[in-house]
Each structure stands twice: as C-alpha cells, then as structure tokens.
Amino acid sequence: MNADVQALLKELEDAATHLGRPHDLRSKSMFGGLMVWFGEKPCAWLSVQGLALRLSAEDQLTLLALEGAARFRHRPDEPPSREYILVPAGLRRDTARFAAWLELSGRAPAPPKKRPRPKARPR
C-alpha cells in the first residue's frame, strides 16, 4: 500500500477512534485504491488523489462549499463521482471535525443495489 494512502487510512482510523467506533472500520484494496466501510456501509475511497467520503446529496453540497473539496474521479478521463467528495487536508487533520463527517458518511443511505445483468442465452 502506498505511504500516502496509509497516512489517509490513519486519519480515518483516528476519526473512528474519536467516535469510539474503531471496530466498525474495515478496508480492502480495490482498483488501485482502498475501499473503506464504516458500520458495514461503504464510506470512503482512498487513493493517491486523496480521501473521498461517500455522503448524502445534502452533505455533499455542504462539504463542497469548503475550500479544497471536490468531486472524486477514479481517473481524469472519467466523470466525477455522484457520491464521493474529496476531503480537504485541513479538515482531515482536525480529528474532531473529521469524525463528524465520518459519522455523516456512516448515516448516508446505502447505494442502490445494481440489478444483475441477464445471462446471455446460447444460440
């Protein structure tokens, strides 16, 4: 795991500990980054781009109003995420404030389940 991503995970772990819920945080390497769950819900994406929290539409607007916040993009040529917002470094390093945002992420509605594609029938 990249040292920058490890540092981001540490900031997230500090926030979860501040909430008294470090046991509710788990992560898994995926697609060149780190997907993080909080209370069994997807809550964050960590990559070399930074730490992006999954938030409700209302909370996204509030976070996007802060300087340095932006919609996450998996790659520069992809559209911006509809759910994940990059958290400014100053906010991440303020553990109490960041913990409040982690709590909001944990309360965001679960993403809709994708319907499985029908299997192609042999001809």
Side-chain angles (χ1 to χ4, degrees):
M1 180 180 351
N2 177 308
D4 292 335
V5 173
Q6 282 183 314
L8 294 171
L9 182 58
K10 174 73 171 107
E11 291 172 351
L12 205 51
E13 289 169 346
D14 290 347
T17 300
H18 183 81
L19 295 170
R21 299 177 55 193
H23 55 281
D24 285 344
L25 205 62
R26 68 181 179 87
S27 62
K28 179 179 179 182
S29 293
M30 295 178 131
F31 312 114
L34 196 64
M35 183 73 192
V36 182
W37 289 262
F38 187 60
E40 297 306 313
K41 286 175 144 180
C43 77
W45 182 258
L46 285 58
S47 70
V48 293
Q49 298 169 41
L51 186 152
L53 282 180
R54 187 181 163 283
L55 297 165
S56 69
E58 183 179 318
D59 293 331
Q60 288 178 33
L61 294 177
T62 304
L63 185 56
L64 283 168
L66 299 178
E67 187 177 334
R71 291 199 175 273
F72 176 72
R73 291 177 186 257
H74 284 279
R75 290 189 314 232
D77 61 333
E78 289 189 5
S81 172
R82 287 180 270 159
E83 297 179 322
Y84 287 86
I85 307 299
L86 288 166
V87 180
L91 175 59
R92 290 193 324 262
R93 292 181 184 127
D94 182 340
T95 303
R97 282 182 59 215
F98 184 43
W101 282 100
L102 176 59
E103 185 71 37
L104 289 172
S105 180
R107 289 188 201 150
K113 299 238 182 209
K114 293 181 181 177
R115 292 188 311 174
R117 291 183 185 176
K119 293 182 180 178
R121 289 195 247 160
R123 294 183 181 214

